[in-house]
Amino acid sequence: MEEADRILIHSLRQAGTAIPPDVQSLRAFTTELVVEAVVRCLRVINPAVGSSLSPLLPPAMSARFRLAMSLAQACMDLGYPLELGYQNFLYPSEPDLRDLLLFLAERLPSDASEDADQPAGDSAILLRAIGSQIGDQLVFPWVPPLLRTPKLQQLQGSGLQQPFHATRLVLPELNSRDESKEFQTSRMLLPPPMQVPQPSGRAASLLECHAIQLCQHMGRDHAGDEEWVRRASRLPPQEDSRAPRQRLQKQLIEHLRQSWGSLGVSPQTRDLGELLQTWGAGARTNVPKGSRFTHSEKFTFHLEPQAQAAQVADIPATSRQPEQDLKAAQEQELESLREHLEGVKQNIEEIEANMKTLGISLVQVETECRQSELSMVEREQALRLKSRAVELLPDGAANLAKLQLVVESSAQRVIHLAGQWEKHRVPLLAEYRHLRKLRDCRELESSRRLAEIQELHQSVRAAVEEARRKEEVYKQLVSELETLPRDVSRLAYTQRILEIVGNIRKQKEEITKILSDTKELQKEINSLSGKLDRTFAVTDELVFKDAKKDDAVRKAYKYLAALHENCSQLIQTIEDTGTIMREVRDLEEQIETEMGKKTLSNLEKICEDYRALRQENASLLGRVREA
């Protein structure tokens, strides 16, 4: 414990505790030293909590109790597992104080200066610098460049963002592999980064080129829709896959509105059908009469907006009347075609219903045909049997005798076949039983192996869990090792540990030797006790035989019995003495333990604090009465 106390005291001194040089163990710690050590450790572990606590013990008892309760609460907030109260700080005991200070020392962070002074490679220094820089940056959230404070500019940079300026890149798009290689190796084509005059626009140009290639790959299904390919890189992908039809309609409406704007098309028109109707009302007069594809023909072979406006201006006002007649004729034709289409649909529905009914009746007729065929086959067999019986009726007696002979021969044949089957059945049954026995044995073996495999899997899982647990313990020990001070010589710790291990080994050897001697002594005691009992029994039997005849032998027998009883009492007394000595030794150890807890000194301190508290209360009462 002395070596552990020295290491712990060294850690407390590094945390800033002013421990006198003559203090070499926790037994010499006073109340003031305990409070200072705990406060210094709390300030290093959590400055927000430790800064509000004073390392000096106040003279007033109430303030002392408040400070001790604050320290206990701070330690419990850090995760101290044991019970903690004000008495652990004002009246400390050595074991409780050791547990508390070890808990705080384990949570002390490592000193950066000591880590820097430690010799390490360039890679370790670089990794440490990167880790500290990333840790500092992760503390603050991302802020736009124009809103960054000077501290954030140091962490996140103060450079302004460049605008997104893209340049068209020329890339080989030939199908032939040889021509592509020749074009790429020619001096006419520069590399893509060299085609951009400004270095700040290279990334933007490459991103724009890749986006255009991706849109061209996605727009293979939109043949002829160059506007979609040109604008797809600016549209979100969900819009491309969600509303291609609506986008096409909007483009058609916009195109028609621009082409036929001079014909009085309302700009509020949003439906494609309404736009086509408006467009059809102002169409030209040279369209073929009665055609249902007039609008599509106009849409496909339309003129430029300027030419259309000139032609419409040249059309006289008298030619507008036939256009209205043409529109009425087209509407009548469309209405008649709709009525005809409705009639055709009704006819198709009636025919489909009749087909369903006829299909159901066909299935029923086919089922009845199958049943009639089966009944006809059965009747044919019965008719064939009855015809054979009718043929045998004229010579009934002879035919009956023949049938009897045939039945007897069939019975003999059945008996013969049964005997043959029995000859074949016995070895087959024996083989079946043998195979069944082998199958049962294999099932038992497989179940046993399955159980072994399951046990092996469980052992593997247990080993994996144990390895994971040991890995966690290893990581925890590594983190604890990183938090330990670096200026202490490792050789000194190693020598102390080796000395402690050597002392433990020596003590273990001595304990083993004592246990072996105790076992030998117990064996010897047991053998002597058995020998004594056997000797007394033999002597008792011999002397008792002669005691009936001789008075001197009778007196010797009495002395023998008294001697045996006295020796038994003596042995019992020795055993009781050993038990009492062990109890005395245990009591002495308990007394030493209680002395180490400073019970008397703590009791005296409690009494003194109680008297001081009573004096403070009396003085406060006096002030209250005076006030």
Side-chain angles (χ1 to χ4, degrees):
M1 287 298 177
E2 293 181 358
E3 295 293 335
D5 289 349
R6 291 175 184 173
I7 297 172
L8 184 58
I9 290 171
H10 179 74
S11 301
L12 295 176
R13 285 173 178 166
Q14 284 188 339
T17 308
I19 301 177
D22 56 343
V23 177
Q24 298 295 329
S25 65
L26 298 181
R27 187 176 300 176
F29 269 50
T30 60
T31 304
E32 292 79 4
L33 196 56
V34 170
V35 172
E36 183 182 359
V38 174
V39 171
R40 297 295 184 187
C41 293
L42 289 175
R43 286 186 177 181
V44 175
I45 296 171
N46 192 355
V49 177
S51 59
S52 60
L53 300 174
S54 174
L56 300 177
L57 196 64
M61 289 306 304
S62 57
R64 289 188 178 187
F65 281 111
R66 286 196 297 271
L67 178 60
M69 290 301 298
S70 301
L71 292 177
Q73 186 62 37
C75 295
M76 294 296 289
D77 293 339
L78 289 177
Y80 186 67
L82 302 178
E83 186 178 358
L84 200 63
Y86 69 90
Q87 70 278 0
N88 296 92
F89 300 96
L90 298 181
Y91 318 108
S93 62
E94 185 178 354
D96 297 339
L97 180 60
R98 183 177 289 107
D99 295 336
L100 177 60
L101 293 180
L102 283 175
F103 171 79
L104 295 175
E106 288 175 356
R107 279 153 181 76
L108 289 175
S110 59
D111 192 358
S113 60
E114 294 176 357
D115 293 340
D117 295 335
Q118 182 184 4
D122 296 337
S123 60
I125 296 173
L126 179 61
L127 289 175
R128 196 178 298 112
I130 293 172
S132 61
Q133 187 71 18
I134 292 174
D136 294 339
Q137 292 182 1
L138 289 177
V139 175
F140 301 96
W142 184 85
V143 179
L146 297 177
L147 301 178
R148 292 174 184 171
T149 61
K151 186 174 183 181
L152 288 177
Q153 289 180 1
Q154 294 178 0
L155 294 176
Q156 299 179 358
S158 59
L160 297 178
Q161 296 181 353
Q162 298 293 334
F164 189 89
H165 180 72
T167 305
R168 181 178 178 83
L169 300 178
V170 180
L171 300 176
E173 298 179 356
L174 299 178
N175 296 326
S176 176
R177 192 172 298 173
D178 297 334
E179 293 179 1
S180 177
K181 289 182 178 179
E182 184 178 357
F183 182 62
Q184 290 176 1
T185 55
S186 65
R187 297 182 179 179
M188 299 175 62
L189 180 64
L190 295 176
M194 300 300 296
Q195 296 180 15
V196 183
Q198 297 180 358
S200 59
R202 291 176 181 175
S205 302
L206 290 174
L207 290 174
E208 182 71 15
C209 181
H210 293 168
I212 292 174
Q213 291 178 357
L214 180 61
C215 294
Q216 290 176 355
H217 179 72
M218 294 174 61
R220 289 177 181 175
D221 297 335
H222 303 269
D225 195 358
E226 298 179 355
E227 182 67 18
W228 182 89
V229 176
R230 185 170 58 83
R231 291 165 50 188
S233 60
R234 302 166 190 164
L235 295 175
Q238 60 269 20
E239 183 181 355
D240 297 340
S241 60
R242 189 190 309 155
R245 188 182 299 274
Q246 296 178 2
R247 187 173 61 253
L248 180 60
Q249 289 181 357
K250 291 180 181 179
Q251 292 177 2
L252 290 175
I253 292 171
E254 184 67 24
H255 189 72
L256 290 175
R257 185 181 291 112
Q258 293 177 1
S259 300
W260 295 88
S262 60
L263 294 180
V265 179
S266 176
Q268 287 80 13
T269 304
R270 295 184 180 180
D271 191 3
L272 184 60
E274 297 178 0
L275 188 63
L276 289 175
Q277 290 179 3
T278 308
W279 171 59
R284 294 172 301 175
T285 59
N286 56 357
V287 180
K289 182 178 179 180
S291 175
R292 290 180 295 170
F293 306 102
T294 303
H295 297 295
S296 61
E297 184 178 359
K298 288 180 180 179
F299 178 69
T300 307
F301 302 99
H302 68 277
L303 299 176
E304 294 296 328
Q306 294 80 5
Q308 287 180 351
Q311 288 183 1
V312 172
D314 295 339
I315 294 175
T318 57
S319 62
R320 301 293 177 88
Q321 187 66 26
E323 292 180 0
Q324 297 180 358
D325 298 338
L326 178 61
K327 182 178 179 181
Q330 289 177 355
E331 290 180 355
Q332 291 178 1
E333 183 182 359
L334 181 61
E335 188 67 26
S336 62
L337 288 175
R338 286 178 181 174
E339 293 177 357
H340 181 67
L341 181 60
E342 292 293 333
V344 172
K345 286 183 179 180
Q346 291 179 0
N347 293 333
I348 291 173
E349 291 177 357
E350 292 177 358
I351 292 171
E352 287 179 354
N354 293 332
M355 288 178 64
K356 290 181 181 179
T357 307
L358 292 175
I360 294 171
S361 61
L362 179 62
V363 172
Q364 293 177 357
V365 170
E366 288 179 353
T367 305
E368 292 176 357
C369 288
R370 293 193 194 95
Q371 293 178 357
S372 61
E373 287 177 359
L374 293 174
S375 63
M376 185 178 66
V377 171
E378 292 178 356
R379 289 177 181 178
E380 287 179 355
Q381 292 179 359
L383 180 61
R384 195 180 299 109
L385 185 60
K386 290 180 180 179
S387 62
R388 292 289 302 275
V390 169
E391 290 176 358
L392 295 175
L393 281 177
D395 194 4
N399 292 329
L400 188 60
K402 290 179 180 179
L403 288 173
Q404 190 69 27
L405 290 174
V406 170
V407 171
E408 291 178 356
S409 63
S410 298
Q412 292 294 330
R413 186 179 179 185
V414 168
I415 293 171
H416 180 66
L417 290 175
Q420 290 182 355
W421 165 243
E422 191 66 25
K423 290 180 182 178
H424 289 287
R425 190 179 72 85
V426 171
L428 289 175
L429 185 60
E431 186 177 1
Y432 167 73
R433 290 174 180 172
H434 178 65
L435 293 176
R436 187 174 180 180
K437 187 176 180 181
L438 290 177
R439 188 200 66 181
D440 294 338
C441 293
R442 289 180 180 177
E443 287 182 354
L444 291 174
E445 183 68 19
S446 62
S447 62
R448 186 180 62 81
R449 291 184 178 180
L450 181 61
E452 291 179 356
I453 291 172
Q454 291 178 354
E455 291 178 359
L456 183 60
H457 281 307
Q458 291 179 358
S459 62
V460 168
R461 293 194 197 97
V464 170
E465 292 294 333
E466 184 69 18
R468 190 179 293 109
R469 187 182 63 81
K470 289 185 177 179
E471 185 69 22
E472 293 177 356
V473 173
Y474 169 73
K475 292 180 180 178
Q476 182 180 0
L477 292 176
V478 168
S479 61
E480 292 178 358
L481 178 62
E482 292 176 354
T483 58
L484 291 176
R486 303 295 182 179
D487 60 344
V488 181
S489 176
R490 184 177 178 183
L491 181 61
Y493 279 113
T494 306
Q495 291 179 355
R496 292 177 184 176
I497 292 170
L498 292 176
E499 290 177 359
I500 293 170
V501 172
N503 294 331
I504 292 172
R505 189 180 293 110
K506 290 180 181 179
Q507 292 177 1
K508 186 176 180 181
E509 292 177 356
E510 292 178 359
I511 291 171
T512 305
K513 185 177 179 181
I514 292 171
L515 289 176
S516 61
D517 294 341
T518 304
K519 289 180 181 178
E520 293 294 334
L521 185 60
Q522 188 66 35
K523 288 180 181 179
E524 187 176 357
I525 290 172
N526 293 333
S527 63
L528 290 176
S529 299
K531 186 176 180 181
L532 179 61
D533 293 337
R534 291 192 298 273
T535 304
F536 176 73
V538 172
T539 306
D540 190 338
E541 184 179 359
L542 295 175
V543 174
F544 185 73
K545 289 181 181 179
D546 297 336
K548 297 179 181 179
K549 301 177 182 179
D550 193 355
D551 294 337
V553 176
R554 188 180 298 111
K555 188 180 292 185
Y557 179 74
K558 290 180 180 179
Y559 289 155
L560 178 63
L563 180 62
H564 182 69
E565 183 178 359
N566 293 332
C567 289
S568 300
Q569 292 178 358
L570 182 61
I571 292 171
Q572 185 65 33
T573 303
I574 293 172
E575 291 178 355
D576 295 340
T577 304
T579 304
I580 292 170
M581 290 179 66
R582 285 197 299 272
E583 293 178 355
V584 169
R585 198 177 300 113
D586 294 338
L587 291 174
E588 289 178 353
E589 292 178 356
Q590 292 179 4
I591 290 170
E592 291 180 358
T593 304
E594 293 296 330
M595 291 296 292
K597 292 182 179 179
K598 302 179 181 179
T599 306
L600 296 176
S601 60
N602 291 335
L603 183 60
E604 293 177 357
K605 288 181 180 180
I606 291 171
C607 293
E608 293 177 359
D609 294 340
Y610 175 68
R611 286 192 292 270
L613 188 61
R614 290 188 65 180
Q615 290 177 2
E616 291 180 2
N617 291 335
S619 61
L620 290 174
L621 286 175
R623 292 179 184 177
V624 170
R625 289 172 183 174
E626 291 176 357

